[in-house]
């Protein structure tokens, strides 16, 4: 393994940095809008400011006078607000007729505003984007809780997130941690919160809100990395559900000792499906259907209803596969689940939402 001293030094104190210093490390997804819609909003805001200034001048018109000494009309106030907000400040040439002033309001000022937009629009956009991200980071860090942290956005991580989204979890409730900036860009494009850094560092996990997360999915490419991430995550959060994917079954006990609640051996699971497919490919098709929550059938969990207490799961309308009692799975058919208890949970097959 390569030394991580440089990465460790860079990540020290990450969660204690001010919010503006986290722009680029922590990214909150933005609601995608049309650039024309954004432009229209800005123009309407500018018009509202112009009318506000006009009303201020008009209601205080006794304190103003023009070159002729006449009382200001509403058009005069509008004209004064226009040249004031546009920083024009006419001196040597002053329009005196209503027609000339109306032309300045309707034609000259919009052209001047468009020129300013073209001249400084790019700089303002960059500065505003960083400020907006810093504000969103500050707000997100204060409010995030009971979310899911996914470590690794490779094939396993993406597939796990797709399954969660298909099961009704909102993208804003998922945080992705990865070291690959290109991968995180893809995650941000689907509306996920992203954290750039190594999840083996406790400060990176704190930045992802692991200490307040409801569940943690570890989908790294190496088993030793998965062990270290699980240890670190469990140290930060004693109650979160930690689910880990590994390549070799011999490492399962290490993950259990590291605090993982569920361990999925990806290589052996894929091997079993390959073996089954050689003789009964339709079984594999059904398993894929059950694992895809978007359509067909899906495996789900629900509480026992009051009317079902004391009954057998084999006599219910749903196809029940097992009963979760005290955190342990008991398969249907065993004598201890012939009478359901109020605190039980049922694993059953349901029609997936479309």
């Amino acid at each position: 393994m390569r030394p991580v001293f440089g990465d460790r030094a860079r990540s020290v104190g990450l969660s204690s940095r001010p919010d503006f210093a986290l722009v680029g490390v922590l990214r909150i997804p933005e609601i995608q809008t049309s650039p024309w819609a954004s432009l229209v909003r800005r123009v309407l805001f500018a018009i509202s400011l112009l009318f506000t200034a006009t009303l201020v001048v008009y209601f205080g018109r006794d304190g103003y006078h023009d070159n002729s000494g006449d009382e200001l009309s509403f058009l005069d106030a509008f004209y004064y607000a226009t040249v004031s907000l546009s920083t024009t400040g006419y001196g040597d040439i002053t329009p005196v007729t209503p027609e000339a002033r109306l032309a300045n309001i309707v034609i000259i000022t919009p052209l001047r505003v468009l020129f300013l937009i073209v001249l400084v629009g790019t700089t303002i956009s960059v500065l505003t984007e960083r400020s907006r991200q810093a504000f969103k980071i500050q707000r997100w860090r204060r409010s995030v809780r009971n979310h899911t942290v996914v470590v690794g956005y490779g094939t396993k991580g993406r597939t796990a997130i797709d399954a969660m989204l298909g099961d009704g979890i909102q993208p804003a409730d998922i945080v992705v941690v990865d070291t690959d900036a290109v991968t995180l860009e893809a995650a941000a494009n689907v509306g996920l919160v992203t954290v750039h850094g190594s999840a083996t560092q406790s400060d990176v996990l704190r930045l992802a809100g692991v200490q307040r997360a409801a569940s943690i999915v570890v989908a790294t490419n190496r088993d030793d990395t998965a062990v270290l991430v699980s240890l670190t995550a469990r140290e930060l959060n004693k109650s979160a559900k930690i689910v880990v994917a590994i390549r070799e079954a011999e490492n399962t006990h290490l993950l259990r000792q590291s605090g993982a609640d569920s361990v999925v051996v990806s290589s052996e699971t894929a091997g079993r499906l390959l073996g089954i497919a050689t003789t009964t490919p339709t079984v594999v098709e059904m398993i894929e259907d059950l694992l895809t929550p978007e359509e067909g059938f899906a495996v789900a969990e629900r509480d026992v209803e009051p009317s079902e207490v004391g009954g057998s799961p084999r006599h219910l309308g749903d196809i029940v596969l097992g009963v979760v009692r005290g955190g342990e799975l008991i398969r249907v058919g065993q004598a201890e689940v012939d009478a359901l208890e109020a605190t039980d949970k049922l694993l059953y097959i349901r029609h997936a939402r479309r």
Side-chain angles (χ1 to χ4, degrees):
M1 295 177 62
R2 65 181 179 83
V4 295
F5 299 109
D7 292 338
R8 187 181 298 274
R10 282 192 295 270
S11 67
V12 169
L14 193 62
S15 60
S16 61
R17 291 183 186 179
D19 298 314
F20 66 85
L22 297 174
V23 176
V25 179
L26 177 61
R27 180 174 177 180
I28 312 300
E30 295 207 27
I31 300 175
Q32 300 296 323
T33 57
S34 165
W36 288 107
S38 178
L39 180 61
V40 168
R41 284 200 304 270
R42 294 183 183 185
V43 170
L44 292 176
F45 181 66
I47 293 175
S48 67
L49 290 178
L50 179 59
F51 271 97
T52 301
T54 301
L55 292 174
V56 169
V57 174
Y58 183 71
F59 288 129
R61 58 187 180 277
D62 292 340
Y64 296 86
H65 66 84
D66 59 13
N67 293 335
S68 303
D70 297 330
E71 183 180 354
L72 268 63
S73 66
F74 185 82
L75 181 59
D76 294 327
F78 197 13
Y79 165 74
Y80 180 84
T82 301
V83 297
S84 297
L85 292 185
S86 61
T87 68
T88 304
Y90 288 111
D92 54 343
I93 301 177
T94 304
V96 294
T97 65
E99 293 80 6
R101 293 183 174 181
L102 185 60
N104 271 269
I105 295 171
V106 176
I107 301 175
I108 304 300
T109 299
L111 292 177
R112 186 179 301 113
V113 171
L114 288 176
F115 174 77
L116 292 175
I117 290 175
V118 172
L119 185 64
V120 300
T122 303
T123 303
I124 293 177
S125 178
V126 171
L127 294 175
T128 317
E129 172 62 22
R130 286 192 64 87
S131 300
R132 186 164 57 246
Q133 271 292 319
F135 175 74
K136 292 176 68 175
I137 288 172
Q138 181 185 46
R139 184 174 57 185
W140 180 83
R141 294 180 70 186
R142 284 201 305 261
S143 61
V144 63
R145 53 185 39 83
N146 296 327
H147 57 295
T148 300
V149 177
V150 178
V151 178
Y153 197 65
T155 302
K156 291 180 290 186
R158 284 196 302 270
T159 305
I161 289 174
D162 289 342
M164 288 186 284
L165 295 177
D167 215 21
I169 296 179
Q170 297 300 313
D173 293 329
I174 301 175
V175 181
V176 176
V177 181
D178 206 299
T179 57
D180 189 344
V182 176
T183 297
L184 291 179
E185 183 70 24
N189 288 337
V190 296
L192 306 174
V193 178
T194 63
V195 176
H196 186 209
S198 173
T200 59
Q201 309 299 324
S202 60
D203 226 34
V204 173
L205 291 180
R206 286 193 186 95
L207 190 60
V210 161
Q211 62 273 28
R212 296 186 298 275
S215 56
I216 303 162
V217 177
V218 182
T220 58
N221 292 325
R222 294 170 55 106
D223 288 2
D224 53 351
T225 304
V227 172
L228 184 54
V229 172
S230 299
L231 276 170
T232 308
R234 182 54 74 199
E235 181 183 20
L236 295 175
N237 192 326
K238 304 299 183 183
S239 60
K241 183 176 183 180
I242 300 179
V243 182
V244 186
I246 58 174
R247 294 177 179 271
E248 304 297 334
E250 62 185 21
N251 295 321
T252 301
H253 72 286
L254 293 176
L255 269 303
R256 294 289 187 185
Q257 293 175 0
S258 301
D261 297 292
S262 299
V263 180
V264 178
V265 184
S266 57
S267 58
E268 289 195 359
T269 301
R272 292 191 189 97
L273 291 177
L274 288 173
I276 294 173
T278 59
T279 55
T280 53
T282 52
V283 174
V284 177
E285 184 178 349
M286 177 56 69
I287 293 175
E288 286 289 339
D289 184 18
L290 292 175
L291 295 177
T292 306
E294 292 89 354
E295 57 184 14
F297 294 98
V299 179
E301 182 183 273
R302 68 172 177 85
D303 295 327
V304 173
E305 298 178 359
S307 61
E308 297 170 340
V309 175
S312 172
R314 289 175 291 182
H315 300 154
L316 301 180
D318 296 322
I319 302 176
V320 180
L321 302 177
V323 177
V324 180
R325 178 174 294 170
E328 295 185 2
L329 174 62
I330 306 173
R331 291 169 178 80
V332 171
Q334 298 185 27
E336 53 263 46
V337 295
D338 279 345
L340 292 173
E341 299 178 1
T343 57
D344 289 343
K345 293 182 180 295
L346 302 179
L347 290 180
Y348 71 105
I349 297 177
R350 65 166 173 80
H351 286 281
R353 293 187 298 270
R354 294 183 181 274

